Amino acid sequence: MLKALRSFARRKSPWIMHVPCGGCNGCDIEVVAALTPKFDVERFGVLQKGTPRHADILIVTGVVTAQILDRLKRIYDLTPNPKHIVAFGSCAVDGDIFREGYGFAGPLDEVLPVDIYVPGCPPRPEALIDGLNKLLKRLK
Amino acid sequence: MIEVINLMVGLLIYPGLAFSLAIGGVFYWLYRKVRARLQARIGPPWYQYFMDLIKLFSKESVIPYSSRGAAMVLAPIFSLTSLVLVAAMMPVGSESIFGFDEDLIVTLYLLAIPGLAMIIAGNVSGSPYGSVGSSREASIMVGYELPYVLSALTVGFHLRSLSISRIVSYQLESGAFFMKYPLATLAFLMCLLPKMGRRPFDAPEADTEIIGGPLTEYSGLLLGLFEVANGLKWFVIPAFTVNMFFGGAANPIEFLAKCLGVVLFLSVLDIIHPRYRIDQGFRFFFKWILPLALIDFVRSLIWP
């Protein structure tokens, strides 16, 4: 009973934090677009938070570069458990065209445990909502 | 024994923690829903606030290495305790359970504690954003506390009484105070906005500039306690306003309807305004709101 309530609450109140790594800003604009009145993710209880301490879901966009690597790991450690990661955009999923660049520090899933992939360059806001929805259905 | 049970029921169930939290959570949801509708969105479902609470309570609470220990845990408890005490003293309908003769003064003091707890929280959490947030909170408190207390004492001086129950029963007989003291009412309502951390005076918690303000380093249970305090504020502060200026009410239903009116008024003010810088907010209170409060305060002294 209590467990069911807890998992229901976790599904109904995912607070996200947007972590831009070394992207071109295209994905960042699409993430922010999902928060605007047109797409309105607040109807699913999603709130954007500026600090990893308040967040449940980290939305990582862009290539994981050598420079951001340590900071990304640190942000992940600052987030309280249970936490989830969304890899948003082709760069975060596998590196895309930056795969052979000198600053590339591995695709996101080799650095941190990724829960869901949202491919696209950039993905549309609907894709983010769909990805969040699929992630939330898996939560317990 | 009976007294102890009465005391616990009063503090924890009606009109204390559980009742106030239920009503306050619904009022907070209403604020979010009205904001969503005015922005042509759909908005969260009615249970959103309670789900946020349960989720926060079920998460890990991190106490950062750079924080100063016990005060970080005590700050939300201070905030919560003072609000629960006020909720228990507040007359819902016409009678109050724990009201006594000087409860107006005690209420004013206890309602200053949540702001103080925010200052403590920001300072001890060891985050630069927290320090900025608490210094802003401290400056805006200097601005709003004086007109707030003056306009509340206007009513007390009119009746020569500091009992909220007495104020409510007087208003039930001879009309609400907002007819007699409109300027004090206006000043009081304006002071509620920074007290509840709402725009245009939400600079202390401005999440677009200073992340989470004083709450930046809080997580899990401790953040949840602050959320509980926030929900209680959405009931306790409108209830105090209704009792002081809008005539109280003969029964709880009418009382909640009047609280709803105050909540909607504050919500609309919050939604249609951008955020003031801290010095602009401070100047607004000293230049416009304090004179308004003073005019009615002096009126209540010389021409009651």
Side-chain angles (χ1 to χ4, degrees):
Chain A
M1 175 66 196
L2 273 177
K3 266 188 180 167
L5 188 64
R6 191 179 69 181
S7 71
F8 184 72
R10 279 181 184 165
R11 263 180 278 136
K12 286 296 171 187
S13 152
W15 290 358
I16 62 173
M17 185 196 170
H18 173 207
V19 190
C21 294
C24 66
N25 230 319
C27 297
D28 306 329
I29 288 171
E30 300 298 318
V31 169
V32 175
L35 301 163
T36 53
K38 182 165 182 185
F39 296 98
D40 184 28
V41 279
E42 202 190 347
R43 67 201 147 114
F44 304 118
V46 174
L47 286 183
Q48 196 199 13
K49 294 285 171 182
T51 156
R53 298 275 193 219
H54 298 190
D56 305 300
I57 297 175
L58 299 177
I59 296 187
V60 182
T61 61
V63 168
V64 181
T65 58
Q67 203 170 31
I68 203 82
L69 186 65
D70 291 342
R71 288 158 197 162
L72 183 62
K73 282 180 180 164
R74 182 139 181 254
I75 287 175
Y76 183 76
D77 289 340
L78 287 173
T79 315
N81 284 320
K83 52 195 167 188
H84 305 279
I85 289 197
V86 177
F88 189 78
S90 299
C91 296
V93 172
D94 62 359
D96 206 17
I97 58 167
F98 303 106
R99 202 177 169 77
E100 272 132 45
Y102 62 91
F104 183 66
L108 183 63
D109 52 4
E110 283 178 14
V111 183
L112 295 174
V114 175
D115 289 86
I116 205 141
Y117 300 89
V118 182
C121 185
R124 289 187 55 82
E126 290 97 327
L128 175 64
I129 295 173
D130 186 41
L132 277 178
N133 208 6
K134 281 177 181 157
L135 173 63
L136 292 177
K137 270 188 193 145
R138 287 210 316 242
L139 294 190
K140 53 174 190 336
Chain B
M1 192 60 200
I2 298 292
E3 283 166 7
V4 174
I5 292 173
N6 271 342
L7 187 72
M8 293 321 280
V9 167
L11 273 179
L12 296 179
I13 300 174
Y14 180 80
L17 187 62
F19 174 75
S20 311
L21 191 63
I23 302 293
V26 171
F27 281 167
Y28 183 52
W29 162 74
L30 209 73
Y31 152 72
R32 281 172 73 172
K33 187 79 176 173
V34 169
R35 188 170 69 173
R37 291 310 294 152
L38 286 185
Q39 294 171 348
R41 293 191 281 130
I42 294 173
W46 69 269
Y47 48 76
Q48 186 61 54
Y49 171 74
F50 305 104
M51 291 303 117
D52 284 352
L53 278 189
I54 295 170
K55 183 212 63 179
L56 284 173
F57 284 148
S58 75
K59 271 182 82 97
E60 182 190 10
S61 325
V62 185
I63 294 186
Y65 175 70
S66 55
S67 76
R68 270 164 249 163
M72 180 149 176
V73 182
L74 287 177
I77 295 175
F78 286 155
S79 181
L80 198 59
T81 317
S82 63
L83 283 166
V84 169
L85 287 177
V86 175
M89 282 194 301
M90 201 55 69
V92 175
S94 57
E95 82 263 27
S96 140
I97 296 185
F98 298 111
F100 48 96
D101 278 349
E102 289 81 22
D103 55 0
L104 176 58
I105 290 289
V106 178
T107 305
L108 287 175
Y109 266 105
L110 287 177
L111 281 183
I113 291 181
L116 197 65
M118 274 297 193
I119 297 175
I120 297 174
N123 269 326
V124 300
S125 65
S127 152
Y129 297 115
S131 310
V132 175
S134 11
S135 85
R136 287 183 180 193
E137 177 82 40
S139 343
I140 200 86
M141 255 181 117
V142 174
Y144 73 73
E145 278 293 337
L146 187 57
Y148 170 79
V149 170
L150 273 183
S151 49
L153 285 185
T154 302
V155 174
F157 271 104
H158 179 87
L159 285 180
R160 300 286 188 274
S161 160
L162 290 173
S163 155
I164 299 181
S165 315
R166 168 106 175 74
I167 289 169
V168 171
S169 59
Y170 177 86
Q171 290 183 94
L172 286 176
E173 283 159 21
S174 49
F177 272 121
F178 80 97
M179 301 292 280
K180 190 157 177 55
Y181 294 116
L183 301 182
T185 312
L186 188 64
F188 195 81
L189 284 171
M190 287 299 128
C191 294
L192 298 185
L193 288 168
K195 225 173 177 50
M196 293 165 74
R198 291 297 120 202
R199 270 178 295 264
F201 308 108
D202 69 338
E205 286 138 65
D207 53 349
T208 43
E209 312 164 16
I210 50 170
I211 318 296
L215 304 183
T216 305
E217 288 294 336
Y218 276 81
S219 59
L221 180 66
L222 298 175
L223 183 63
L225 289 179
F226 267 117
E227 275 293 311
V228 171
N230 181 33
L232 286 176
K233 266 190 210 172
W234 276 92
F235 172 69
V236 167
I237 291 177
F240 186 43
T241 318
V242 168
N243 280 332
M244 294 299 287
F245 289 103
F246 294 101
N251 56 48
I253 304 296
E254 192 192 339
F255 184 77
L256 290 181
K258 283 184 173 179
C259 288
L260 186 65
V262 175
V263 166
L264 288 180
F265 177 76
L266 295 177
S267 305
V268 171
L269 274 187
D270 171 287
I271 294 155
I272 64 178
H273 278 102
R275 183 183 305 128
Y276 275 153
R277 236 170 32 221
I278 194 76
D279 61 319
Q280 290 168 329
F282 192 78
R283 189 177 301 138
F284 175 78
F285 278 108
F286 265 77
K287 213 171 175 180
W288 303 107
I289 299 303
L290 185 60
L292 291 185
L294 266 180
I295 290 170
D296 268 1
F297 183 65
V298 173
R299 254 184 69 207
S300 77
L301 287 180
I302 57 177
W303 180 45

